[in-house]
C-alpha cells in the first residue's frame, strides 16, 4: 500500500482556461498535524480542488474531507468525526511559479474545521459523576438530570461557602 504523499503540489505552467481538477490525499503527518490524546488522524485527508487561471493570478477552490478519531469530552468514548470543508478558496496573485505548493493552505483550512469540543453525539449524556457509568448505554440509581427534578433538589442541597474577608 502506498503511503499518502506529504505535500499538495500542482503544476500550473500551462493551465487551461477552465482550470484543472486536482484530487488526491495527503497524510496528516505531512501537514504537521500530530495526534494528541483527544484527536487522532489515522486516515489521510482527501482533497478535491480546482485550480484555474483568473485575472491577476491563480484561483484554487474546492473541498476537503477527513475522518478523525476523537475521544468524547463527556463520556470518553472513541468515535469517528467526519470533517468537511466545501469552501476552500485561495487566490495566488501575480504568481509566475511553475508549481504551486498548497500544503500550507490545506493545513490551515482543515485545522479550522477541527472540532473545538469533541462530542460523540450532540446530546451525549456523559459519565455519571458519582459512579462513572456511561449514561448513554446504561442508567444508574444516582441522582441524575434524567430522573425528573432531581437535578434541582441536588442543587438545593449545595452549600454555598461563606464569604471570607
Ligand atoms: Zn460522548
Ligand atoms: Zn451513577
Amino acid at each position: 500500500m502506498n503511503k499518502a504523499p506529504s505535500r499538495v503540489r500542482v503544476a500550473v505552467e500551462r493551465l487551461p482556461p477552465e482550470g484543472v481538477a486536482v484530487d488526491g490525499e495527503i497524510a496528516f503527518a505531512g501537514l504537521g498535524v500530530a495526534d494528541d490524546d483527544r484527536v487522532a488522524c489515522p486516515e489521510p485527508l482527501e482533497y478535491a480542488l480546482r485550480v484555474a487561471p483568473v485575472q491577476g493570478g491563480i484561483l484554487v477552490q474546492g473541498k476537503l474531507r477527513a475522518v478523525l478519531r476523537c475521544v468524547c469530552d463527556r463520556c470518553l468514548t472513541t468515535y469517528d468525526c467526519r470533517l468537511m470543508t466545501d469552501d476552500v478558496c485561495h487566490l495566488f496573485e501575480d504568481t509566475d511559479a511553475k508549481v504551486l505548493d498548497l500544503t500550507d493552505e490545506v493545513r490551515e483550512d482543515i485545522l479550522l474545521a477541527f472540532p473545538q469540543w469533541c462530542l460523540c453525539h450532540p446530546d451525549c449524556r456523559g459519565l455519571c459523576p458519582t459512579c462513572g457509568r456511561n449514561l448513554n448505554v446504561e442508567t444508574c440509581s444516582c441522582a441524575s438530570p434524567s430522573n425528573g427534578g432531581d437535578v434541582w433538589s441536588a442543587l438545593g442541597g449545595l452549600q454555598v461557602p461563606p464569604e471570607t474577608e
Side-chain angles (χ1 to χ4, degrees), residues 72-77 119-121 124-126 136:
C72 177
D73 289 332
R74 284 191 198 151
C75 70
L76 306 180
T77 303
L119 285 183
C120 63
H121 192 268
C124 168
R125 303 171 74 183
N136 298 303

Side-chain angles (χ1 to χ4, degrees), residues 104-134:
D104 289 343
E105 283 72 18
V106 167
R107 178 201 294 123
E108 260 175 50
D109 288 337
I110 201 67
L111 285 179
L112 284 175
F114 266 46
Q116 215 174 350
W117 307 106
C118 296
L119 285 183
C120 63
H121 192 268
D123 35 61
C124 168
R125 303 171 74 183
L127 302 178
C128 171
T130 308
C131 69
R133 284 196 176 92
N134 184 341

Side-chain angles (χ1 to χ4, degrees), residues 126-146:
L127 302 178
C128 171
T130 308
C131 69
R133 284 196 176 92
N134 184 341
L135 299 176
N136 298 303
V137 295
E138 55 185 332
T139 50
C140 65
S141 48
C142 311
S144 84
S146 59

